[in-house]
């Protein structure tokens, strides 16, 4: 099973951030720990409709794979943020936004709109394409095939 398939399978049981993070970084960090870390990021950070959880999960995975620690040079930090921004820009070019509410066209922080989104199948039919794209873009970026 490739990373995208893993993310989509996981997304049926976890949130968008968890599934993306585990698919991209589960080979380096215990997947259960990654699920715990990603718990608050689903639905645009705690279901507030802000930054898409798939984007957040992919960016956390980038940190695990290519991130820096306290003693990193300015150059290393700069290169990391270049990669992170490359990912964000590619995602936004594909979908027009990286904000959950804009991507799914409803405010899931409003219980009535969230319920409407569930009934209309937004989380089953629309969100998986963001999960798949985030994994695809970040996988290329982590392996230096996108810059």
């Amino acid at each position: 099973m490739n990373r995208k398939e893993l993310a989509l399978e996981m997304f049926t049981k976890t949130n968008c951030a968890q599934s993306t993070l585990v698919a991209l970084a589960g080979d380096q960090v215990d997947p259960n720990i990654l699920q715990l870390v990603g718990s608050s990021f689903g639905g645009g950070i705690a279901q507030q409709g802000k930054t898409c959880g798939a984007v957040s999960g992919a960016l956390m995975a980038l940190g695990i794979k290519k991130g820096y620690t306290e003693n990193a040079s300015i150059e290393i930090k700069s290169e990391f943020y270049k990669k992170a921004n490359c990912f964000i820009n590619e995602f936004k070019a594909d979908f027009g936004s990286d904000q959950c509410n804009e991507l799914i066209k409803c405010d899931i922080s409003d219980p009535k709109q969230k319920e409407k989104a569930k009934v209309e199948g937004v989380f089953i039919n629309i969100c998986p394409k963001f999960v798949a794209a985030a994994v695809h873009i970040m996988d290329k970026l982590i392996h230096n095939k996108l810059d």
Side-chain angles (χ1 to χ4, degrees):
M1 180 179 314
N2 66 36
R3 287 182 195 10
K4 186 166 66 171
E5 292 167 342
L6 174 60
L8 291 171
E9 180 183 312
M10 284 203 61
F11 186 59
T12 65
K13 301 174 246 171
T14 64
N15 73 39
C16 44
Q18 291 168 309
S19 60
T20 304
L21 178 56
V22 169
L24 288 165
D27 58 339
Q28 279 191 255
V29 177
D30 180 341
N32 292 316
I33 298 295
L34 295 176
Q35 287 180 54
L36 294 170
V37 169
S39 296
S40 296
F41 293 88
I45 304 174
Q47 299 184 339
Q48 292 296 302
K50 301 192 183 321
T51 302
C52 171
V55 169
S56 295
L59 290 169
M60 286 186 271
L62 179 62
I64 290 168
K65 297 280 191 171
K66 302 281 186 176
Y68 61 87
T69 58
E70 62 193 46
N71 295 320
S73 68
I74 299 279
E75 292 80 18
I76 289 172
K77 291 177 183 180
S78 178
E79 187 60 31
F80 175 80
Y81 285 116
K82 179 181 172 190
K83 286 184 182 294
N85 281 298
C86 183
F87 167 80
I88 293 166
N89 292 337
E90 181 81 13
F91 189 91
K92 287 166 80 172
D94 288 350
F95 299 110
S97 179
D98 62 355
Q99 299 299 296
C100 179
N101 284 351
E102 293 172 13
L103 292 167
I104 65 172
K105 307 209 181 339
C106 71
D107 180 1
I108 63 169
S109 68
D110 176 330
K112 288 181 182 176
Q113 287 190 43
K114 181 179 175 182
E115 185 57 34
K116 183 180 180 214
K118 282 183 186 177
V119 169
E120 292 177 356
V122 168
F123 307 116
I124 295 169
N125 299 314
I126 295 174
C127 293
K129 71 181 175 182
F130 305 128
V131 169
V135 169
H136 177 73
I137 296 165
M138 188 57 79
D139 198 32
K140 290 191 310 183
L141 183 63
I142 286 170
H143 295 99
N144 298 316
K145 296 178 185 169
L146 177 72
D147 275 324

